[in-house]
Amino acid sequence: MKRFLFAIVASLWLPAGQAACRQHELTPPSKVKIDGDAVMIVVHQSSTYDARFSTKRGGDEAVRFAKAEKIPVIYLQDDSREEDYFMEDCSPDYWVYSEGGEIRFPVTASHVYIVGGHLEVCMSAALHDIIYQWAKQPPRNRTVTYLMDAIYSNGRMIDPADPFYHDFDRFLGIVTYGRPGGEHWPKLSLLETMGIIRDQEHQLNYIRQILPRWDTTFPASYRIEVQLNMSAKKVLRAAEGWYPPTVLFHFVDSALLLSDLKFP
C-alpha cells in the first residue's frame, strides 16, 4: 500500500511531460509519412545529454509553434531512459527510434525545423542524412531552420585559438561548477554559445564550421546561403543562372521569434 501511495505522489510531483512521455509507441521508419512541405524534427531532447535542461524552454516553444502552424512534429528517441525526455508535449505526429540521430524515413519536405540533439553529434548525423536525401531528389529550394535555444552543444568546434575561447571556457566552467565530470554535464544551448561569441563576423565563422557538409553533398548547381535571424543572407557558394536551386541554413534565436515575425 505504501509503495502504491508513493507511486501516486511521485507521478504528481514529476513534470507532466516527463510523466506522460513514459508510455508511447515507436513508429517504424517505413510507416512515417510527412504531410505538407515543412516538418519539425526533435532529436534526443533528453536530460541524459542536456542535464542542465538548457534547451527545455526552447524545445517546448518550438513544438508549440509547429503545432500552431500545423507543421508535423517527429521526435527521435534513443536508448536513454524514457523518463529523461523532458518535452512538455508528448504527442508528436511520430516517435521514431534513432540511436545516433540517423534518419531512416523519407524527408520530402523542403523546410526542416531542427530542434534538440547534440549539435556536433546526433543532430549533425540527422542533418547529414536529410541533406543527402535532398541532394538525390529533384532540384528545388530548401531550408533548414536551426532553433538555437532548443539545440545543445559542448562547444567541440570552438578552438583555443578563437578570440572568444576564454569567455566560452569561463562560462562553461561556471555553469558546470561542482557538477560531476563527464560528457553528461558540460552542455550549453547554441544560443548561449552565440551570446558568448557576440561579434557577428565571428558568429558567421562559427556557423560555417558547424554546418553539415553541404559542399560534398550538393552539386555546384546549388546556391548555398546562411542567415542569422532577419539579417542579410550570406552566400557561401554562388551558382550559375538567375534562379538556381538554393539551400538556406537559417539560424534563429528562438521559435518565439517565428511566431512574432511570421518567418516562412
Side-chain angles (χ1 to χ4, degrees):
M1 180 66 178
K2 289 183 178 179
R3 289 184 180 179
F4 176 72
L5 291 174
F6 176 80
I8 292 177
V9 172
S11 66
L12 292 174
W13 178 83
L14 285 169
Q18 289 194 27
C21 288
R22 289 185 179 184
Q23 296 183 347
H24 53 263
E25 294 186 4
L26 295 175
T27 301
S30 60
K31 300 293 185 182
V32 173
K33 306 297 182 187
I34 299 174
D35 295 327
D37 207 30
V39 64
M40 178 172 288
I41 298 179
V42 181
V43 187
H44 300 167
Q45 195 77 336
S46 168
S47 62
T48 302
Y49 312 110
D50 180 15
R52 291 178 56 231
F53 288 73
S54 66
T55 59
K56 163 69 175 169
R57 172 70 188 275
D60 289 342
E61 293 294 349
V63 173
R64 191 172 294 117
F65 162 80
K67 292 204 166 184
E69 299 295 322
K70 307 259 188 288
I71 297 170
V73 178
I74 299 174
Y75 290 169
L76 301 187
Q77 176 180 329
D78 68 354
D79 290 323
S80 59
R81 300 188 311 172
E82 288 188 353
E83 57 265 35
D84 289 342
Y85 280 80
F86 51 68
M87 296 83 72
E88 178 182 346
D89 189 317
C90 296
S91 301
D93 292 83
Y94 300 102
W95 286 86
V96 180
Y97 178 76
S98 174
E99 180 179 4
E102 66 279 356
I103 303 292
R104 303 192 185 280
F105 50 85
V107 179
T108 55
S110 66
H111 192 161
V112 169
Y113 295 86
I114 196 76
V115 171
H118 195 309
L119 174 70
E120 301 90 349
V121 187
C122 53
M123 198 198 79
S124 176
L127 286 176
H128 277 94
D129 284 350
I130 289 167
I131 67 172
Y132 179 72
Q133 287 192 37
W134 281 352
K136 296 192 298 182
Q137 296 169 12
R140 59 186 300 200
N141 294 341
R142 309 280 187 173
T143 300
V144 176
T145 296
Y146 293 72
L147 298 175
M148 294 193 291
D149 64 346
I151 297 168
Y152 52 88
S153 164
N154 64 359
R156 179 185 299 179
M157 305 299 291
I158 295 178
D159 189 271
D162 289 329
F164 47 84
Y165 177 80
H166 177 74
D167 291 337
F168 168 79
D169 189 54
R170 176 169 170 74
F171 185 82
L172 190 63
I174 291 171
V175 298
T176 60
Y177 180 77
R179 295 193 183 271
E183 176 66 16
H184 290 179
W185 292 113
K187 299 293 193 310
L188 308 179
S189 73
L190 179 55
L191 183 60
E192 289 173 328
T193 302
M194 296 293 277
I196 293 168
I197 298 172
R198 298 189 68 84
D199 181 88
Q200 290 188 5
E201 191 61 33
H202 293 159
Q203 288 178 336
L204 178 59
N205 289 336
Y206 179 66
I207 284 174
R208 291 174 191 260
Q209 295 181 59
I210 62 177
L211 291 176
R213 290 302 304 271
W214 55 265
D215 53 331
T216 58
T217 304
F218 293 103
S221 57
Y222 273 84
R223 175 186 175 99
I224 309 297
E225 299 177 338
V226 68
Q227 183 181 20
L228 179 60
N229 291 314
M230 292 301 288
S231 64
K233 296 174 183 177
K234 304 289 187 181
V235 178
L236 301 183
R237 186 180 73 190
E240 294 184 358
W242 288 103
Y243 302 106
T246 300
V247 178
L248 171 64
F249 295 101
H250 193 183
F251 288 77
V252 179
D253 288 351
S254 172
L256 291 169
L257 287 180
L258 298 176
S259 300
D260 293 342
L261 301 177
K262 298 300 181 183
F263 279 65

